[in-house]
Amino acid sequence: MTDLFPPWPLFSAFLVASFVLAVTPGPGVLYIVTRSLVQGRRFGLVSVAGVALGNLGNAIAASVGLAALFSVSSLAFSMVKYAGALYLIYLGVQMLRSPHAERAVPTTAASPLGRVFHEGFVVALLNPKTTVFFAAFLPQFLSPEAPPMLQGVMLGFLFVAIAAVTDSAYAFAAAVVAPVLHGKGVGRLGRRLGGGVFIGLGIYTALAGPPRSAK
């Protein structure tokens, strides 16, 4: 099992780089924070699980070579990129169209946990830059003495675990701040801000070109 991980100096660099990437806000983090602010800690943690599963899917896809397809086919990259952008815009429109209420936290019936999990999964999975990152990032830490695909899956799983911890911290922090924002129509404002964030992310994703380097 230890052969599946690089030597400690290189492994420590992987852990540091993974942590820095994990704490950097992106579509997944913003989705988690928005859900936590609007619906509370429980929904935020469920969205963390969905995003983690989507990230794991990207890591596995990179390990089996899907990212290589993205790197050589602009059409494949564009198809996934625009699908993700449209989904983010859809989430934003749905949030803006949600029934107005003075409560900052909608009822569970209005947004089932399963739906929140599914949306988090799709937001993370339909982010081709994550897959391309794994394809460019993981090979730097692979050893020729062990199966590269298995190593990639193990390192990808470790990255997802690190990201799940940092995402949970974001969810808890947002849930703590949420009660302060209750009342005086802030719930309605929160939905408008959240919807605007998702629509903005969708537009940004659609306009952003393929990454030129691993970042």
Side-chain angles (χ1 to χ4, degrees):
M1 181 64 70
T2 56
D3 293 338
L4 297 179
F5 296 103
W8 172 245
L10 195 59
F11 189 42
S12 63
F14 170 81
L15 295 177
V16 172
S18 298
F19 176 78
V20 171
L21 177 68
V23 299
T24 302
V29 170
L30 291 177
Y31 177 79
I32 291 165
V33 169
T34 300
R35 284 297 183 189
S36 301
L37 284 173
V38 176
Q39 295 178 273
R41 180 179 59 189
R42 185 184 180 192
F43 285 84
L45 292 178
V46 169
S47 66
V48 169
V51 169
L53 185 60
N55 284 335
L56 182 60
N58 275 318
I60 294 175
S63 300
V64 299
L66 180 58
L69 173 64
F70 285 167
S71 65
V72 300
S73 173
S74 59
L75 177 61
F77 182 91
S78 297
M79 288 177 62
V80 178
K81 180 181 73 171
Y82 290 129
L86 288 174
Y87 192 75
L88 288 170
I89 294 174
Y90 166 78
L91 291 181
V93 172
Q94 289 296 104
M95 185 169 292
L96 291 175
R97 295 179 59 188
S98 62
H100 295 302
E102 290 304 314
R103 293 184 61 190
V105 182
T107 62
T108 303
S111 298
L113 290 173
R115 177 181 174 184
V116 172
F117 176 87
H118 175 264
E119 290 177 350
F121 169 75
V122 175
V123 165
L125 189 65
L126 294 183
N127 183 6
K129 289 187 176 181
T130 303
T131 310
V132 173
F133 167 80
F134 280 125
F137 179 68
L138 294 181
Q140 303 176 45
F141 304 96
L142 301 184
S143 170
E145 286 76 24
M149 189 175 75
L150 186 55
Q151 289 183 86
V153 171
M154 292 296 294
L155 291 176
F157 184 84
L158 183 57
F159 168 83
V160 170
I162 294 173
V165 173
T166 59
D167 287 348
S168 297
Y170 274 115
F172 277 107
V176 169
V177 174
V180 181
L181 303 179
H182 284 188
K184 299 182 180 179
V186 176
R188 183 181 306 167
L189 177 61
R191 282 190 297 274
R192 290 175 178 174
L193 289 175
V197 166
F198 285 131
I199 293 174
L201 280 173
I203 296 174
Y204 173 80
T205 302
L207 295 179
R212 296 181 180 177
S213 59
K215 289 184 179 179

